[in-house]
Amino acid sequence: MNKIHTVVAVVGIAVVAAAAWWFQRPVPAMAERAGTETSVSQGPRAASGGAAAPAGAGSGAGAAPGGGGPVAIEVARAESMSIVDDVQAVGSLKARQGVMVRPEVSGRIARLGFVDGQPVRQGQLLVQLDDTLQRAQLEQAKAQASIARTNLQRSRELLAQNFVSQSAVDQNAAALQVAEAQVALAEAQLARMRVLAPFSGTAGLRVVDLGDYVKDGADIVKVEDLSALEVEFALPERYVARTRPGLPMELTLDAMPGSTFKGQLVAINSQVDANGRALMVRARVQNSGALLRPGMFARPRIIFATREGAVAVPEEALVPQGARQFVYKVVDAADGRKVAQRMEARIGLRVPGKVEILEGLKAGDVVVTAGQARLRGESTPVRVIDLAQAGRAPGGAGGGGGRAAGAASGASGAGGRGSAASQNLPAAAGGGRPASGPPATQP
């Protein structure tokens, strides 16, 4: 029974397959008749169709690089410009020398000898502490020294008369030295009650008032020399070999946009920071107009060299391939056509939007900036697209297409002159080819 069911199923499948093939097979007579009808129906349009085909072929040939036509590109000229080899960093300004004035001893402020924010001279009295006790101690020491001096003189006179021994004279001499030391000590203690300016500069805002009792080491006022300011900043370690004292520096500040201050590098740290691999350097800038203040955020720029007449091209002209960079230079071929030649580029310095080419190009050479993806080989025929003209091309192309349609309708209405009029169609279609080609903004 199972065998009978299997045979019936196989036979049924075979019958269905044969029926499907029978209904889908091509009929020779019907195919021949359909071809005849198609040729007859296209006969009246043969002339116009034949004229339109060359036009479409002509426009497509210029758009595709594989079709044998030139590749549409955009170009720019290499420029000769001055390029500065520099490095920029950030830092904060600080005074060339500044100190917080503090007393060495405790005492009550008896007098202030400066005005907040005004210049002070080196050695000028800033703060006078109450020195009544120290002055009294100095007078006492001077009196004791005077007595010791008198005793020494008398002992020497007595020694000349052999009334005293040499030992007594020596004791009086030692007592005089002790008394003179006491005078010096009292004078030193008295001097410490006066706080003087250590150098010429500008006083800040004091934090004490007249009559305040201050302890030794308490803050009084900050004095800074603002004639020149310094800025410390870090440079990457790759600049270590090129960094040296005396290099010129330009300083800009966010607080003073448009202003540039010139200075120079004055000191370099003896080692590179192992954590950040950076080298700390110090630069100095003159502050003749007292416009700069310590603590301002600064952007220093160290200038290593200035290259005059460097040849630069737009960054869009570079075509990276692996670890190398290439540019396409547009030149005139022997037959008058323009071709793009590929050349390897040695890159120098970079500026915003531009890159320096060290060899192979000169100022005025034309390079490809868009369309490099369609260029093949070392030399490729190209067609330069002018963006200004490309913006006006669609209107001109539309007018040419309208004139072509008018010529075609005139030709069909003329009857016997249809074949002659159709010969002018390729010329009208060719006038609109730039509009049918690839857009100028696409590479």
Side-chain angles (χ1 to χ4, degrees):
M1 182 63 66
N2 292 335
K3 291 183 179 180
I4 296 175
H5 291 169
T6 303
V7 171
V8 172
V10 171
V11 172
I13 293 173
V15 171
V16 172
W21 174 83
W22 177 265
F23 286 107
Q24 294 180 2
R25 82 187 195 286
V27 181
M30 295 176 62
E32 182 178 357
R33 184 166 58 253
T36 304
E37 292 177 355
T38 301
S39 61
V40 171
S41 62
Q42 292 183 353
R45 296 192 301 268
S48 60
S59 61
V71 178
I73 59 171
E74 297 177 19
V75 298
R77 291 188 179 275
E79 301 177 4
S80 177
M81 58 188 305
S82 176
I83 298 181
V84 179
D85 184 6
D86 60 357
V87 58
Q88 295 185 356
V90 294
S92 298
L93 294 179
K94 71 172 189 176
R96 181 176 61 177
Q97 51 182 350
V99 62
M100 174 60 73
V101 178
R102 299 181 176 93
E104 299 181 22
V105 295
S106 302
R108 190 173 302 278
I109 298 177
R111 184 161 64 96
L112 294 174
F114 67 96
V115 179
D116 295 357
Q118 296 300 315
V120 295
R121 302 182 309 275
Q122 183 178 4
Q124 177 180 338
L125 176 65
L126 299 180
V127 176
Q128 174 65 63
L129 300 178
D130 185 10
D131 57 356
T132 304
L133 178 61
Q134 286 75 17
R135 287 184 181 277
Q137 293 175 348
L138 177 61
E139 293 299 329
Q140 181 182 5
K142 287 182 178 180
Q144 293 177 352
S146 178
I147 294 174
R149 192 176 296 107
T150 301
N151 292 337
L152 178 60
Q153 182 64 26
R154 288 178 180 177
S155 61
R156 286 176 178 174
E157 293 176 355
L158 294 175
L159 178 62
Q161 299 176 5
N162 294 325
F163 289 125
V164 295
S165 64
Q166 182 65 38
S167 167
V169 175
D170 294 341
Q171 290 179 359
N172 291 332
L176 177 60
Q177 291 179 354
V178 172
E180 290 178 346
Q182 293 293 334
V183 172
L185 177 60
E187 290 178 346
Q189 291 177 347
L190 179 62
R192 296 174 68 180
M193 307 303 290
R194 295 165 53 89
V195 181
L196 307 179
F199 49 82
S200 298
T202 302
L205 302 178
R206 69 176 187 267
V207 295
V208 296
D209 292 320
L210 186 65
D212 282 347
Y213 182 87
V214 294
K215 294 185 177 181
D216 53 329
D219 294 347
I220 295 179
V221 67
K222 192 167 187 178
V223 177
E224 294 180 304
D225 182 6
L226 302 182
S227 61
L229 297 183
E230 295 179 345
V231 55
E232 292 184 357
F233 52 95
L235 295 179
E237 63 178 358
R238 65 176 179 270
Y239 294 105
V240 170
R242 307 173 61 187
T243 305
R244 65 183 186 278
L247 287 175
M249 179 207 66
E250 291 184 356
L251 189 71
T252 57
L253 298 98
D254 293 354
M256 300 180 181
S259 299
T260 302
F261 302 87
K262 296 185 180 297
Q264 64 178 359
L265 204 64
V266 295
I268 303 173
N269 198 6
S270 59
Q271 62 179 359
V272 175
D273 184 11
N275 295 326
R277 305 300 177 186
L279 177 68
M280 292 298 299
V281 298
R282 180 182 298 166
R284 182 176 299 166
V285 59
Q286 296 299 320
N287 189 23
S288 57
L291 299 176
L292 306 179
R293 296 289 177 176
M296 298 181 69
F297 180 76
R299 299 182 184 273
R301 182 169 71 110
I302 298 296
I303 302 175
F304 296 109
T306 302
R307 300 185 184 179
E308 301 290 344
V311 179
V313 299
E315 292 182 338
E316 296 82 1
L318 294 179
V319 179
Q321 293 184 5
R324 299 186 298 175
Q325 298 281 351
F326 292 87
V327 296
Y328 285 92
K329 178 181 177 181
V330 179
V331 298
D332 294 329
D335 56 359
R337 297 186 304 170
K338 292 186 178 296
V339 296
Q341 296 180 348
R342 191 181 72 164
M343 56 174 291
E344 185 174 359
R346 286 188 55 210
I347 299 176
L349 300 176
R350 290 179 179 266
V351 295
K354 300 285 185 179
V355 59
E356 180 188 13
I357 304 299
L358 298 180
E359 62 181 18
L361 291 178
K362 62 181 183 297
D365 287 346
V366 180
V367 295
V368 180
T369 58
Q372 296 98 322
R374 302 181 181 183
L375 302 179
R376 299 291 185 270
E378 299 296 329
S379 180
T380 306
V382 295
R383 176 168 58 91
V384 177
I385 296 296
D386 189 347
L387 294 180
Q389 295 182 359
R392 297 190 299 267
R403 289 192 298 270
S409 62
S412 61
R417 294 193 303 273
S419 61
S422 63
Q423 295 177 0
N424 294 330
L425 290 176
R433 183 181 303 174
S436 63
T441 58
Q442 298 180 0

